[in-house]
């Protein structure tokens, strides 16, 4: 109506005036596409919202050469244009307060100016994250916040797929930096109310002969895949729980479940042992179990940690917050860019092997549909579930033993088609004591409060030390849940020293 439009124009005019007063109106430095937006196009933009985010490092050479620090700045984004503002100006602060109040007044049930729910997807510019983004946008029911390390790439992808400009927001999130995660979570306190958080982004370095470390000292796949997502989950919970149907989802993997052929028969096995790598400090230590570095195992261990984390979050916080905590295996996306580190022959033959031999092949679009289903389907409101799809896979199932003939036999997830069902994760994924220890050690690693009784280095037997530094599977023989698993049990009575002591330092 007329009054609503007047409010829009008043808010926009005040925002432009505030930037003009500072004399520093700029377009977003993150996207060359945004920088070319004309003033007339800005005026036609019907969506007005304000988001705060830290200003990129555009410090002038004068400031860099001077002992004086530059004035603190912040960015306010109106529509798809960013205005850099200086802190400490009363007039600017008043305008900012009006903009925030206006944005909140437009919000109804977590929606700003529309009837859409909002989902945050990490790694939304490629692979599974992009496919899920496309599926959710195509439904017309969702606004997607694309949390990515390269906003310019994400903007180019959005333009290439012709995403409606009012249906997505691009936010920078560098998972190799805990500080970037904290800044991102702080920005999410303003603007649209997030309904769902999807922790999807992952790093896979199977060909790396040696561990690579982030600036904060952690092995890269350990920090990107697990620790940063753990921190993000904890920081976003107070925000997500305000939604009407709050959900937090970690993308899991069959490779982190040793009770399947896909996870238990392919060397190396996912196994966190006693999590002594994190207990010994984590920094400069290549593996969470404290063993020697193996790039493929580092990825599998991180996916195991993702699934253990989400089930532990369910145990701790589902009743308190009402948040649905779930994980899923969307199927083997054999052509994903996740395999970019693999040799060319593998990238060519693996999709054919999965399609014609195992039957476990799933296309990126279908996997995206599956992730979108867990995001939006009322059926997936149940918390603490590892979702799978009983597609046409032949060899990625596991043998379930039961006295009930309707319950026993080959079950599992994989392959194209099929219906969603509650899959059974491995015994280690479901181990509550180990999950509790992993949680507290992860909290210590990322700088959150933790329980000291769970973070000591635990003694390991010679067999346990040898196991985590050697092959983790026997070809063709998975480890079902009904087989006792003595690997890495949290037994403080175990004799022997830690891996560091036995090996005389890591190799």
């Amino acid at each position: 109506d007329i009054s609503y439009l007047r409010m829009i124009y008043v808010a926009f005019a005040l925002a432009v005036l505030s930037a003009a007063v500072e004399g520093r109106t700029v377009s977003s430095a993150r996207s060359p596409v945004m920088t070319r937006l004309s003033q007339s196009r800005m005026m036609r933009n019907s969506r007005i919202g304000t988001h705060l985010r830290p200003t990129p490092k555009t410090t002038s050479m004068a400031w860099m050469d001077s002992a004086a620090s530059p004035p603190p700045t912040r960015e306010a984004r109106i529509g798809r244009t960013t205005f850099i503002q200086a802190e400490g100006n009363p007039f600017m602060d008043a305008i900012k307060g009006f903009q925030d109040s206006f944005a909140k007044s437009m919000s109804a049930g977590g929606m700003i100016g529309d009837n859409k729910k909002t989902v945050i997807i990490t790694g939304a510019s490629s692979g599974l994250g992009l496919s899920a983004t496309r599926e959710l946008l195509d439904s017309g029911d969702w606004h997607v916040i694309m949390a990515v390390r390269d906003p310019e790439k994400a903007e180019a992808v959005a333009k290439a797929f012709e995403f409606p400009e009012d249906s997505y927001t691009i936010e920078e999130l560098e998972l190799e930096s805990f500080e970037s995660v904290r800044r991102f979570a702080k920005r999410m306190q303003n603007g649209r109310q997030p309904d769902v958080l999807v922790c999807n982004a992952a790093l896979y370095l199977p060909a790396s002969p040696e561990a690579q470390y982030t600036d904060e000292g952690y092995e890269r796949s350990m920090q990107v895949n697990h620790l940063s997502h753990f921190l993000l989950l904890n920081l976003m919970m107070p925000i997500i729980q305000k939604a009407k149907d709050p959900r937090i989802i970690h993308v899991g993997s069959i490779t982190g479940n040793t009770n399947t052929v896909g996870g238990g028969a392919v060397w190396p096995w996912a196994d966190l042992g006693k999590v002594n790598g994190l207990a010994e400090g984590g920094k400069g230590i290549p593996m969470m179990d404290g063993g020697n570095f193996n790039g493929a195992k580092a990825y599998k261990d991180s996916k195991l940690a993702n699934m253990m984390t989400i089930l532990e979050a369910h145990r701790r916080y589902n009743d308190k917050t009402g948040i649905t905590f779930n994980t899923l295996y969307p199927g083997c996306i054999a052509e994903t860019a996740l395999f970019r580190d693999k040799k060319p022959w593998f990238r060519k033959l693996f999709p054919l092997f999965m399609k014609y031999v195992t039957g476990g092949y799933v296309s990126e679009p279908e996997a995206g549909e599956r992730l979108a289903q867990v995001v939006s389907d009322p059926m997936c409101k149940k918390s603490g579930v590892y979702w799978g799809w009983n597609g046409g896979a032949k060899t990625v199932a596991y043998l379930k033993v039961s006295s009930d003939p309707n319950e026993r036999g080959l079950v599992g997830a994989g392959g194209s088609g099929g219906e969603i069902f509650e899959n059974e994760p491995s015994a280690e994924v479901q181990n509550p004591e180990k999950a509790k220890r992993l949680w507290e050690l992860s909290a210590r690693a990322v700088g959150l409060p933790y329980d000291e009784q769970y973070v000591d280095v635990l003694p390991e037997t010679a067999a346990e030390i040898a196991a985590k530094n050697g092959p983790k599977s026997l070809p063709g023989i998975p480890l079902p849940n009904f087989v006792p698993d003595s690997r890495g049990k949290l037994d403080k009575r175990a004799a022997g020293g830690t891996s560091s002591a036995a090996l005389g330092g890591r190799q």
Side-chain angles (χ1 to χ4, degrees):
D1 57 39
I2 298 300
S3 61
Y4 179 78
L5 291 175
R6 285 176 177 170
M7 290 180 67
I8 292 177
Y9 284 120
V10 167
F12 187 85
L14 288 172
V16 173
L17 177 60
S18 67
V21 167
E22 286 299 312
R24 298 173 58 230
T25 304
V26 298
S27 295
S28 173
R30 289 183 173 85
S31 171
V33 177
M34 292 183 190
T35 63
R36 294 193 295 270
L37 287 176
S38 65
Q39 187 72 16
S40 60
R41 186 174 183 183
M42 289 161 51
M43 293 297 294
R44 291 197 302 269
N45 192 333
S46 61
R47 180 176 68 85
I48 297 183
T50 302
H51 308 272
L52 292 181
R53 62 187 181 193
T55 305
K57 296 181 179 179
T58 55
T59 311
S60 71
M61 293 303 296
W63 284 334
M64 293 176 66
D65 295 337
S66 170
S69 59
T73 61
R74 65 187 178 191
E75 292 183 4
R77 189 169 66 239
I78 310 300
R80 303 194 65 77
T81 302
T82 299
F83 299 93
I84 298 179
Q85 305 174 353
E87 297 277 12
N89 185 310
F91 177 73
M92 297 288 290
D93 290 341
I95 296 299
K96 163 66 176 56
F98 174 81
Q99 291 170 342
D100 283 349
S101 299
F102 178 73
K104 292 183 184 301
S105 71
M106 293 173 64
S107 177
M111 298 158 233
I112 295 184
D114 55 35
N115 294 318
K116 297 177 181 179
K117 288 187 174 183
T118 299
V119 56
I120 300 168
I121 302 179
T122 68
S125 60
S126 64
L128 174 63
L130 175 59
S131 294
T133 296
R134 295 179 64 187
E135 182 71 18
L136 291 166
L137 293 185
D138 285 347
S139 73
D141 298 328
W142 290 86
H143 182 100
V144 179
I145 297 177
M146 303 172 70
V148 297
R149 64 178 303 184
D150 187 345
E152 291 188 7
K153 173 188 173 183
E155 186 67 42
V157 168
K159 295 299 181 183
F161 287 104
E162 299 182 342
F163 293 168
E165 288 198 355
D166 61 350
S167 68
Y168 70 97
T169 303
I170 296 172
E171 291 287 350
E172 184 174 1
L173 174 62
E174 174 52 79
L175 293 171
E176 291 194 29
S177 166
F178 294 146
E179 182 56 33
S180 177
V181 175
R182 294 180 186 278
R183 290 197 303 265
F184 175 86
K186 188 174 183 179
R187 295 198 300 274
M188 293 301 101
Q189 296 175 5
N190 300 286
R192 302 186 69 96
Q193 167 63 50
D195 297 271
V196 182
L197 169 64
V198 177
C199 297
N200 160 74
L203 189 62
Y204 181 42
L205 303 170
S208 180
E210 297 180 353
Q212 304 171 27
Y213 297 93
T214 66
D215 289 342
E216 284 153 319
Y218 294 97
E219 192 273 323
R220 289 180 67 201
S221 53
M222 183 194 304
Q223 179 163 342
V224 170
N225 301 358
H226 169 58
L227 290 176
S228 284
H229 278 137
F230 174 86
L231 176 60
L232 184 63
L233 177 150
N234 278 273
L235 296 178
M236 290 299 299
M237 272 195 291
I239 302 172
I240 295 290
Q241 75 175 97
K242 298 175 183 178
K244 291 183 177 179
D245 182 11
R247 304 185 189 191
I248 296 180
I249 301 163
H250 272 185
V251 175
S253 173
I254 196 174
T255 64
N257 281 287
T258 54
N259 63 327
T260 64
V261 174
V266 181
W267 182 85
W269 266 343
D271 178 17
L272 299 185
K274 293 182 175 178
V275 208
N276 272 342
L278 281 178
E280 292 173 356
K283 294 185 178 182
I285 295 176
M287 304 291 289
M288 279 188 270
D289 65 0
N292 293 332
F293 179 72
N294 181 304
K297 184 176 184 296
Y299 170 79
K300 294 181 179 183
D301 285 355
S302 71
K303 301 314 290 182
L304 170 59
N306 287 161
M307 293 182 284
M308 292 174 70
T309 295
I310 208 70
L311 295 186
E312 179 65 8
H314 162 73
R315 287 186 286 265
R316 291 180 180 226
Y317 298 114
N318 174 248
D319 289 341
K320 296 178 182 178
T321 66
I323 298 175
T324 297
F325 297 95
N326 280 332
T327 183
L328 73 150
Y329 172 55
C332 181
I333 314 171
E335 295 166 330
T336 178
L338 190 64
F339 294 126
R340 66 174 68 88
D341 201 39
K342 286 285 191 179
K343 295 184 181 298
W345 66 263
F346 178 90
R347 296 198 299 270
K348 291 180 181 178
L349 295 181
F350 186 60
L352 299 176
F353 177 77
M354 294 303 296
K355 185 178 293 186
Y356 299 111
V357 178
T358 71
Y361 176 89
V362 174
S363 68
E364 275 191 358
E366 183 174 7
E369 292 174 5
R370 291 175 170 183
L371 176 52
Q373 181 177 4
V374 177
V375 168
S376 59
D377 196 326
M379 174 184 178
C380 299
K381 174 64 177 172
K382 183 177 180 180
S383 186
V385 177
Y386 171 50
W387 294 106
W389 286 258
N390 55 358
K394 303 178 182 67
T395 61
V396 294
Y398 67 90
L399 181 62
K400 183 175 182 180
V401 175
S402 172
S403 58
D404 185 346
N406 295 320
E407 293 291 330
R408 64 175 176 247
L410 283 174
V411 296
S416 180
E419 299 296 326
I420 191 171
F421 74 106
E422 295 182 28
N423 201 2
E424 183 180 6
S426 69
E428 185 161 14
V429 172
Q430 298 181 73
N431 185 328
E433 286 302 311
K434 186 175 288 189
K436 188 179 297 183
R437 175 169 166 80
L438 173 65
W439 185 283
E440 302 302 339
L441 287 167
S442 300
R444 185 179 70 171
V446 302
L448 295 175
Y450 63 93
D451 189 335
E452 292 186 357
Q453 68 175 314
Y454 292 99
V455 299
D456 292 336
V457 176
L458 299 181
E460 296 174 303
T461 64
E464 288 171 333
I465 295 171
K468 71 183 184 181
N469 288 295
K472 299 298 187 294
S473 92
L474 298 175
I477 304 178
L479 188 64
N481 284 346
F482 56 83
V483 176
D485 181 4
S486 61
R487 294 170 296 129
K489 283 191 175 180
L490 304 183
D491 185 1
K492 293 185 177 182
R493 298 169 299 173
T498 66
S499 57
S500 290
L503 297 175
R506 281 181 175 73
Q507 303 168 358

